Amino acid sequence: MTLSIWRYAHLALAVVSSLFLLILSLTGIILAIDAVNEKTQAYQVENSSSINLAQSITGLRKVYPEIIEIAVDHNQFVSIDALDEEGNTIKAYINPITGAVLGEIKPKSQFIQWTTALHRSLFLHETGRIIVGIVSFLLLLISISGIALILKRQQGIKNFCAKINRDFFAQYFHVVSGRLFLIPVLIIALTGTYLFMARMDLMKRPNEEIKHKLIDGTENKKIEEFRIFQENTFADLEKIEFPFMDDDPEEYYTLKFKDRVVTVNQFNGDIISEVKYPYTAALEKLSLDIHTGRTNVIWAIILGLASLNIVFFIYSGFVITFKRTKTKVKNKYKADQAEIIILVGSENGSTLFYANQIHKQLLGDGKRSFLTSMNQYGKYPNAQHLIIFTSTYGIGTAPTNASNFEELVLKFPQNKHVHYSVVGFGSRVYPDYCAYAAQIDEILEKQNWTTRFLALHKINDKSIPEFTNWIHHWSEKSCIALATAPSLYQAKVDGIRKLKVIKKTGEDHATFTVLLKPQSKLKFESGDLLAIYPAHDNRERFYSIGQNNGMIQLEVKLHENGLGSNFLYQLAENDIIRARVMRNPDFHFPKVPAVIMIANGTGIAPFLGMIRNNKNTAIHLYAGFRYDNSLTQRYQDFAREQIANNHLNTFHFAYSREQESQYVMDLIKQDVLLFLAHLESGGVIMICGSLRMQRDVEQVIEEIMLLHKDSALSHYKESNQILTDCY
């Protein structure tokens, strides 16, 4: 129920603010580019901020006899409004040490001014500012609700950066990019909200006026002797306004600093008055600097990317919503009238699709069927059959719309015996294959009001034959006719491309290589995923890609009952297959000085491509296999060749089924010093293979770092020094 609240809140806030967020994001991208462009102007003088005002002004007065004002903008560019020795008006950026003109002060282009006005007020003046402020606050709430959803999805903060299930493109990258740009988006929203509150005077605090005691008879001083000018630099200053008349005691220097305004006697340098800004003014300026990125080029780039990502959030969020709602469920009968209750546990709607196809047939046959989510379970006084279709989410846990089912079953026991059947959807690739369905089956078996109708039935990779097999058994036993035609249960799959088989090895062991050439332009990198459709329907099998001279290289383990592996094993050269590439940027080769790669079995596939295309990065490869055979000899030959070509530094193989049994964890323990130095120097560790291997490897690294450096593994994960792609 909690997750539903967060999800609906997240969606509702996004729907309400989407149009305005789109406008603000697009204009934010343009303004971020403009902020970066500003930094490319060569108007900042090295070390000028360390020169005190007394030294600088003394030198500038030799070049400019009459100075009206000197200003320092957010880029630390110093500008002057003055007259030179020939009486010419000079308004330009200058070198504050020599007075040399560096460039003309140019106003913002009309396009940038137009974009700024649109970003700040939507051309609606005060009303627009209020709308922008409210939208900023809504973005803050959207970000907070998004964090809550990720925490729920990943089973807590410890797994915040854990691997995300790749259900479909929009869902996967919505979560991944959400984690990546979480902090920048939060900062954009928070600072935007604060600026709105400040401009509406909601945070207004009075200035503090300080009167300084004037001492009569103080002798005149040269400007370079003024204490306030000696103690401050251009780094502290925003503007100096010079006296209009040099001999008028009522004319003063006015120094505007970031936190105060000071009036100074032009003859002796005494401070006449001082106005200190409240802390809210400093916070407003800091918020403006952070919100615009105007003071730091790197932060401006990050803000631009975060704004671009908000546009993608809007797109992918609506795609996710559409996918979750595209299966329209129509309940002709109410829950208390139905004789057949169908409950669904589905994360992204695919399981709901199958359940709805059954539901529609039952209604068409005149049966009183009712379909809802498992979290909506309640009392069903007329129920005869209870059918549960559920996927398994995360590591053996419930989908989000089934998280409360066990509690509800205990809370609402039925008043008469009901036949139950559980159908689990999952993939045998995962160790927790249909684990949640098995858990539900066990819970229902223990209830005193249930009678098992069919044994737990598991569907691997949305297998239509396996699903229709269950339909056949249920129909036969219930005497209710349901269609078993496969076409009825096929959903459309988008993004399919044609790939030609260039090479396939056939060795005397269970692992083989497939080389595929795209038949049209296709962007991919080592570490991306290839989805194939071995049954020519919507069932996907995923394989990690190694890039090999523009072709896709797969390393595949042959499973006796493996749908995907057997399909690939039967391929011959020049065969054409249908597949699609799923981008996986979180597991692309990082741009760092050194990388340690750890793999077991076919997890070596993306590393082969990364090593082959490596140019300047030091790479150490650690791989574990069962046997030392012709396959691993081929990998060793490859590694030696890459060492000779300066693409690889070292490689270490472990064999778990040989006489001297070893695992990759043993190799890591042998090279403790290398791993310590590697992580401490900012190196990246990439892990690809089985989930069990990943857990064991991470445990060993955790023990090493805690023992020698007193650092937790989470620290290195947060800094993106541990990258994983395991199944």
Side-chain angles (χ1 to χ4, degrees), residues 473-643:
H473 288 294
W474 194 89
S475 297
E476 186 177 52
K477 190 168 183 178
S478 65
C479 297
I480 298 174
L482 293 173
T484 57
S487 59
L488 184 63
Y489 307 102
Q490 291 180 358
K492 183 181 177 182
V493 179
D494 297 319
I496 304 297
R497 309 292 286 273
K498 290 183 178 180
L499 306 174
K500 183 178 181 179
V501 180
I502 301 302
K503 180 181 179 182
K504 185 185 75 66
T505 63
E507 306 191 33
D508 58 348
H509 40 73
T511 301
F512 59 95
T513 301
V514 181
L515 205 58
L516 301 167
K517 182 178 181 179
Q519 297 300 282
S520 58
K521 189 175 181 181
L522 180 62
K523 291 184 178 181
F524 64 92
E525 293 183 35
S526 296
D528 286 338
L529 300 173
L530 184 73
I532 66 169
Y533 303 88
H536 305 290
D537 54 20
N538 65 325
R539 282 179 290 167
E540 295 179 320
R541 299 291 291 136
F542 294 99
Y543 293 90
S544 291
I545 290 174
Q547 202 266 11
N548 187 343
N549 295 320
M551 291 182 285
I552 293 172
Q553 180 174 334
L554 307 179
E555 298 295 315
V556 185
K557 182 178 180 181
L558 180 61
H559 296 276
E560 183 179 354
N561 297 313
L563 180 66
S565 63
N566 276 279
F567 169 78
L568 292 172
Y569 190 73
Q570 298 299 323
L571 293 175
E573 290 185 10
N574 299 320
D575 282 352
I576 301 295
I577 69 169
R578 298 162 61 252
R580 68 185 178 99
V581 168
M582 291 186 64
R583 300 283 290 170
N584 188 19
D586 280 357
F587 203 69
H588 286 171
F589 190 64
K591 294 181 179 180
V592 293
V595 173
I596 291 177
M597 297 175 172
I598 302 173
N600 71 333
T602 57
I604 198 173
F607 295 154
L608 299 179
M610 293 176 188
I611 293 170
R612 184 181 290 110
N613 296 316
N614 176 44
K615 294 180 179 179
N616 303 312
T617 302
I619 298 178
H620 303 276
L621 174 63
Y622 292 78
F625 305 95
R626 291 186 177 185
Y627 300 102
D628 185 3
N629 51 29
S630 58
L631 173 70
T632 56
Q633 287 299 318
R634 178 154 58 85
Y635 291 152
Q636 290 185 48
D637 292 341
F638 169 84
R640 294 188 185 98
E641 178 185 349
Q642 299 307 314
I643 289 175

Side-chain angles (χ1 to χ4, degrees), residues 36-269:
V36 173
N37 184 57
E38 278 188 352
K39 307 296 184 296
T40 63
Q41 307 300 317
Y43 301 149
Q44 188 171 2
V45 178
E46 188 176 356
N47 298 325
S48 65
S49 60
S50 63
I51 304 297
N52 67 50
L53 298 177
Q55 294 172 295
S56 178
I57 294 174
T58 300
L60 291 175
R61 279 204 150 176
K62 295 177 182 178
V63 182
Y64 304 101
E66 185 175 341
I67 301 176
I68 299 171
E69 71 173 34
I70 297 172
V72 184
D73 68 10
H74 53 269
N75 294 308
Q76 289 297 296
F77 299 163
V78 179
S79 61
I80 195 168
D81 184 358
L83 299 178
D84 63 13
E85 293 179 340
E86 298 175 359
N88 299 315
T89 299
I90 304 296
K91 292 183 178 182
Y93 293 112
I94 62 166
N95 183 320
I97 301 172
T98 66
V101 173
L102 301 178
E104 180 185 355
I105 301 174
K106 297 180 180 179
K108 294 285 187 182
S109 68
Q110 287 188 345
F111 174 69
I112 294 299
Q113 292 181 45
W114 180 87
T115 303
T116 303
L118 178 60
H119 187 80
R120 289 180 177 174
S121 65
L122 305 172
F123 301 137
L124 298 175
H125 306 293
E126 196 72 12
T127 302
R129 291 182 184 274
I130 294 172
I131 293 173
V132 169
I134 293 172
V135 171
S136 295
F137 180 66
L138 291 178
L139 179 60
L140 182 63
L141 296 181
I142 291 170
S143 302
I144 293 171
S145 60
I147 294 170
L149 285 171
I150 294 175
L151 290 174
K152 288 286 185 181
R153 180 187 183 95
Q154 299 302 103
Q155 305 295 313
I157 196 168
K158 289 184 179 179
N159 300 317
F160 189 79
C161 295
K163 183 179 181 297
I164 301 295
N165 287 347
R166 297 170 179 79
D167 295 307
F168 55 92
F169 174 85
Q171 169 269 336
Y172 176 68
F173 285 100
H174 191 83
V175 178
V176 171
S177 58
R179 295 193 307 195
L180 184 63
F181 288 98
L182 170 64
I183 293 177
V185 171
L186 267 175
I187 291 174
I188 288 173
L190 187 61
T191 54
T193 303
Y194 186 85
L195 288 172
F196 160 70
M197 295 172 68
R199 286 165 181 167
M200 292 294 106
D201 290 336
L202 300 177
M203 308 295 292
K204 190 173 182 180
R205 296 289 185 277
N207 295 334
E208 180 185 357
E209 295 188 19
I210 302 174
K211 290 290 185 179
H212 288 258
K213 185 177 181 181
L214 301 179
I215 302 175
D216 295 333
T218 304
E219 62 181 36
N220 293 351
K221 298 178 183 177
K222 295 180 180 180
I223 195 168
E224 59 265 30
E225 297 175 336
F226 287 7
R227 184 175 178 182
I228 191 169
F229 285 177
Q230 292 174 341
E231 293 178 347
N232 291 280
T233 68
F234 281 104
D236 311 311
L237 186 71
E238 289 188 346
K239 183 185 290 187
I240 303 177
E241 295 176 0
F242 284 67
F244 184 71
M245 302 290 293
D246 289 342
D247 56 353
D248 187 348
E250 297 298 322
E251 293 284 336
Y252 313 111
Y253 288 100
T254 301
L255 280 70
K256 295 184 179 180
F257 295 99
K258 293 182 172 94
D259 60 347
R260 67 195 190 282
V261 177
V262 179
T263 304
V264 179
N265 185 294
Q266 68 166 307
F267 300 109
N268 56 32

Side-chain angles (χ1 to χ4, degrees), residues 386-403:
L386 179 64
I387 306 173
I388 296 179
F389 296 94
T390 184
S391 59
T392 297
Y393 185 61
I395 304 178
T397 53
T400 52
N401 67 347
S403 56

